[in-house]
Amino acid sequence: MEAEVTFLPLARSAKVRSGTTVLQAARKAGVAIATRCGGNASCFMCKVQIEDWSNLAPMKDNERRKLAGLEQSNTRLACQAVLKQGHTVVQLPPDPFRAAIARQLQRQQEEDTLW
Ligand code: FES
């Protein structure tokens, strides 16, 4: 069986075989998701938001333990979320470098308006 994943806000998609993780699908789609643990559910860096989990395999214990307290936030670990079939939409977190630059620019604009 085949699954399709779309990564937002980039609007990039990939078709993959059933059993593929969201992280593997991201790589196929050319989408970078930061990892430090190589997909072993220990670095917590691959968090993504997935609203509809109906096309994903049930969450395993290691992912459930890692995401304790985030159950209501639609958060999944891309390295552990396994695609079954159908179409899944994945919301990527904001790029931390771009967010830092945006904060710095806003600070400078606020300082400039004081002069
Ligand atoms: S890649 Fe490290 S927790 Fe997913």
Side-chain angles (χ1 to χ4, degrees):
M1 276 192 282
E2 195 172 73
E4 182 175 7
V5 191
T6 298
F7 294 92
L8 299 178
L10 302 174
R12 287 201 189 153
S13 297
K15 287 187 179 174
V16 295
R17 277 194 226 159
S18 175
T20 302
T21 66
V22 170
L23 182 62
Q24 292 167 327
R27 289 180 177 148
K28 185 173 181 189
V31 172
I33 295 179
T35 70
R36 200 173 280 160
C37 71
N40 293 315
S42 59
C43 72
F44 207 54
M45 292 179 69
C46 67
K47 291 184 309 252
V48 294
Q49 302 289 311
I50 302 174
E51 198 166 302
D52 181 1
W53 295 6
S54 61
N55 292 324
L56 299 176
M59 196 183 283
K60 292 181 186 164
D61 286 344
N62 58 347
E63 184 181 14
R64 194 181 324 278
R65 272 195 306 275
K66 279 284 175 191
L67 295 175
L70 297 174
E71 292 86 356
Q72 304 302 317
S73 66
N74 296 329
T75 300
R76 296 291 304 259
L77 294 178
C79 69
Q80 301 299 306
V82 175
L83 299 154
K84 289 190 310 188
Q85 61 184 11
H87 184 220
T88 299
V89 177
V90 175
Q91 181 71 44
L92 299 166
D95 182 327
F97 292 117
R98 286 184 187 203
I101 290 169
R103 280 193 304 273
Q104 182 63 31
L105 285 172
Q106 186 173 359
R107 242 181 268 135
Q108 285 178 342
Q109 286 174 344
E110 288 168 3
E111 287 173 11
D112 289 347
T113 58
L114 294 175
W115 292 95

